[in-house]
Amino acid sequence: MRSKPNRTKAQSEIALGTLRPKRSSLIWYVFLAPAFLGILCFMVYPILESLRLSLFNSSGTGGTWAGLANYKTVLSSSEFWHSVYNTFYIGFFQMIITIPLGFIFASMINSVAFAKNFFKVIFFLPNVTAIVAAAMIFTFVLHPDMGILNYFLDKVGLPTPLWLSNPGTAKWAIILLGVWHWIGFVIIICLANLQAISPELYEASTIDGASGLQQWLFITIPNMMGTFAFLLITGWIGALQRFNEVYVIGGPTGSPNRSIQTVVAYIYEHGFTGFQFGIASAATYVLFVIILIFTMFNLKLTKMKL
Amino acid sequence: MAALTQKKAFYISNAIKFILLLVCGFLLMVPFIWMISVGFSRTANVQMPFPPKLIPKDPSWFNFNIVFENGQIFRAYINSGIITVCSVILGVTSSLLGGYAFSKGKFKGKKVMFLIVLGTLMIPMEPRLIPMYEMFNKLGMLNTFWPLFLPALVNGFGIFLCKQYFDRLPDSLRESAQMDGASELGIFFKIYFPLTGPIAATLVILTFIWSWNDFVWPLVVLNDPNLQTIPLYLASFSQENGTSLGGLTMALATVSVVPIIILYLFLQRFIIQSIALSGLKE
């Protein structure tokens, strides 16, 4: 231990090119102490302990060795796979609607000649409200008989679904809420990156006689691929952890009829309403692996460098 | 002549974009407008006003009076405020210190430690939920605010942002202070800390949003109604009443959402910049 700090001291002296009193590099660990204390207590320990719990029959204290029994229970539970299906279904449609729509809005805001900032502020507003408050408002907005959405749909002659009262349409209610809440974020990220595209590209193509639409298709969109990849990856990480709004609207079981129960809601149901810590921990590890694999898959798909 | 049609085309395309954005922006705002309108309708607790009206038939403060008299919302504001302020202080401090060490420090294990910090970004909350619950349970800290702000110490993204920020500040500042024999802590606090304004503001905003809206973890840790944060209070109210008591629910939503919206309107430039920074590719 003693010789190593000396060596780094010597190195730093060489780097500085000075011959001054020796400085200790230990001080840097003091700078990092708060963060690493946190990482140890709230990251490393819980992740390992969670792995241990998943291998035990546990409801809090102690517990008996269970091997992979908890994983077997989870992986053979149709309720679990149903929650995986719900999570992916909601996430997929939220993503495929919000990213293109948000990009189109961002392009319009970026090119409109006036009130740019006004639109930026307005479109981002839903994202500022807590998703829990938004879910609370949406239980009424989406009410089949008294809700304002069905009132509008009826006015323009569209069908008026039962939304949250019907397991068949409940997921779409959550998707709608997700789109409304997330679109502002997509717009802000797209706008920031749109403004980072070099104006020279546009100038050159204008000289070549390209129309605005052609520029959008052949310059803007190819230059935004990295941004779409970023949104897809962060969007999926968030979507796979969806809980708040489905808990407020459908409770831990995701009513009606488990139609909106997400994986995290399944974990919450077993961990904190049933106190089946072993099963809940196994489910969290399965979710963890799903997130990792899916993120890797997205990184590959979008050819983004880690 | 050609210039004239070009000008015309410019105005027409801008007008179309403007109107389209205005209509869509209005549609996005409808839930908020409706929320406030229903909040002022006393009869909405029995029968939601239908068809929807912008100004209710008999506007009254009835629902708001009940929300204020009950007082739970004020307590929730105070609770959320305490937790958020503590989280912001801890999170920003640990990010600034950590980011500075990774940017300017020379020490053993720097690379590995930085990778560990980035690795924390990959680890979701859910696998940690139960062990952290057990840990704070053993420490007798359930139903206190400690478990809610202590984990704010871990802010991998904050450290990353700070490191990038300090990387752009010149090393020459350090070197001259070192000549004068200043300590590393002294250099940080006297020379670099006063320059951290912009990045600290960004971190404050991001940590504030994250902490204010946090839901799963407080839901697990707090079950004393007196300690509920705003999202917890809203969720428990919403679950108790479902789609009955529309007027009261909307008044409560208004009281919890409108102050945040006003704060946002004042700080919108900084908030939008901070969010954009979190998604700018290098």
Side-chain angles (χ1 to χ4, degrees), chain A residues 272-283:
Chain A
F272 292 99
T273 64
F275 285 93
Q276 297 166 298
F277 282 174
I279 288 175
S281 296

Side-chain angles (χ1 to χ4, degrees), chain A residues 24-292:
Chain A
S24 166
S25 65
L26 284 178
I27 184 72
W28 296 112
Y29 300 113
V30 176
F31 279 91
L32 289 169
F36 274 82
L37 204 68
I39 290 175
L40 204 66
C41 296
F42 308 122
M43 286 276 170
V44 177
Y45 165 74
I47 279 291
L48 295 177
E49 171 67 6
S50 180
L51 185 63
R52 190 193 71 81
L53 278 173
S54 75
L55 300 171
F56 279 80
N57 259 322
S58 169
S59 56
T61 47
T64 53
W65 173 255
L68 294 174
N70 289 324
Y71 287 93
K72 247 180 227 160
T73 311
V74 169
L75 292 175
S76 61
S77 149
S78 63
E79 277 168 16
F80 176 75
W81 287 112
H82 193 60
S83 74
V84 172
Y85 169 76
N86 292 340
T87 310
F88 273 91
Y89 186 98
I90 296 168
F92 177 78
F93 284 105
Q94 182 199 6
M95 220 73 52
I96 207 162
I97 295 171
T98 319
I99 296 177
L101 204 62
F103 171 60
I104 291 170
F105 281 132
S107 301
M108 286 206 283
I109 294 173
N110 196 36
S111 64
V112 78
F114 23 80
K116 260 185 216 207
N117 201 50
F118 168 75
F119 287 127
K120 230 194 226 182
V121 171
I122 289 289
F123 278 82
F124 190 62
L125 218 147
N127 199 257
V128 176
T129 53
I131 187 80
V132 171
M136 191 171 170
I137 300 167
F138 265 64
T139 50
F140 288 92
V141 169
L142 297 169
H143 194 284
D145 310 321
M146 328 177 282
I148 196 158
L149 180 66
N150 273 2
Y151 171 76
F152 276 131
L153 290 178
D154 191 46
K155 269 275 148 102
V156 295
L158 287 168
T160 53
L162 290 172
W163 299 117
L164 292 160
S165 314
N166 177 358
T169 51
K171 273 192 266 298
W172 277 95
I174 304 293
I175 293 165
L176 219 58
L177 169 60
V179 171
W180 179 79
H181 194 255
W182 199 48
I183 196 157
F185 180 78
V186 172
I187 291 174
I188 294 302
I189 301 292
C190 283
L191 266 173
N193 286 297
L194 277 172
Q195 280 151 6
I197 299 175
S198 158
E200 286 159 25
L201 288 174
Y202 293 105
E203 283 157 21
S205 71
T206 309
I207 293 167
D208 292 344
S211 72
L213 186 67
Q214 280 172 327
Q215 286 182 336
W216 191 66
L217 286 174
F218 299 115
I219 299 174
T220 311
I221 291 179
N223 271 291
M224 290 295 284
M225 283 305 174
T227 308
F228 298 147
F230 169 82
L231 288 169
L232 205 65
I233 288 160
T234 52
W236 268 114
I237 291 174
L240 292 175
Q241 298 177 61
R242 186 183 307 276
F243 175 73
N244 301 0
E245 63 268 44
V246 296
Y247 177 81
V248 173
I249 288 171
T253 57
S255 42
N257 200 15
R258 292 190 183 271
S259 61
I260 57 171
Q261 189 185 41
T262 57
V263 180
V264 179
Y266 176 92
I267 292 165
Y268 182 85
E269 184 197 357
H270 288 270
F272 292 99
T273 64
F275 285 93
Q276 297 166 298
F277 282 174
I279 288 175
S281 296
T284 63
Y285 257 85
V286 176
L287 172 68
F288 191 20
V289 170
I290 291 176
I291 292 178
L292 278 184

Side-chain angles (χ1 to χ4, degrees), chain B residues 91-92 94-96 98-99 117 121 154-164 199 203 206-207:
Chain B
V92 174
S94 98
S95 301
L96 283 175
V117 167
L121 294 175
V154 187
N155 190 344
F157 186 63
I159 292 179
F160 175 74
L161 279 184
C162 288
K163 179 194 178 295
Q164 281 193 315
I199 196 70
L203 284 175
L206 292 176
T207 319

Side-chain angles (χ1 to χ4, degrees), chain B residues 68-140:
Chain B
F68 291 140
E69 263 167 43
N70 171 281
Q72 186 76 10
I73 186 73
F74 297 122
R75 217 174 294 150
Y77 259 107
I78 293 168
N79 294 338
S80 274
I82 295 171
I83 293 166
T84 301
V85 168
C86 294
S87 299
V88 166
I89 292 171
L90 279 187
V92 174
T93 310
S94 98
S95 301
L96 283 175
L97 289 173
Y100 180 73
F102 282 125
S103 172
K104 304 292 182 206
K106 294 184 180 70
F107 52 96
K108 235 177 104 49
K110 182 170 155 181
K111 251 201 180 129
V112 177
M113 287 171 93
F114 192 58
L115 279 179
I116 292 173
V117 167
L118 291 185
T120 61
L121 294 175
M122 305 273 288
I123 297 176
M125 185 63 202
E126 290 75 32
R128 301 182 281 134
L129 220 49
I130 291 168
M132 278 168 68
Y133 171 84
E134 283 285 273
M135 183 166 82
F136 285 109
N137 188 14
K138 275 180 202 145
L139 294 169

Side-chain angles (χ1 to χ4, degrees), chain B residues 242-265:
Chain B
T243 48
S244 58
L245 296 181
L248 264 181
T249 309
M250 290 311 207
L252 183 60
T254 305
V255 174
S256 65
V257 158
V258 168
I260 297 295
I261 291 181
I262 292 172
L263 192 68
Y264 160 69
L265 292 179

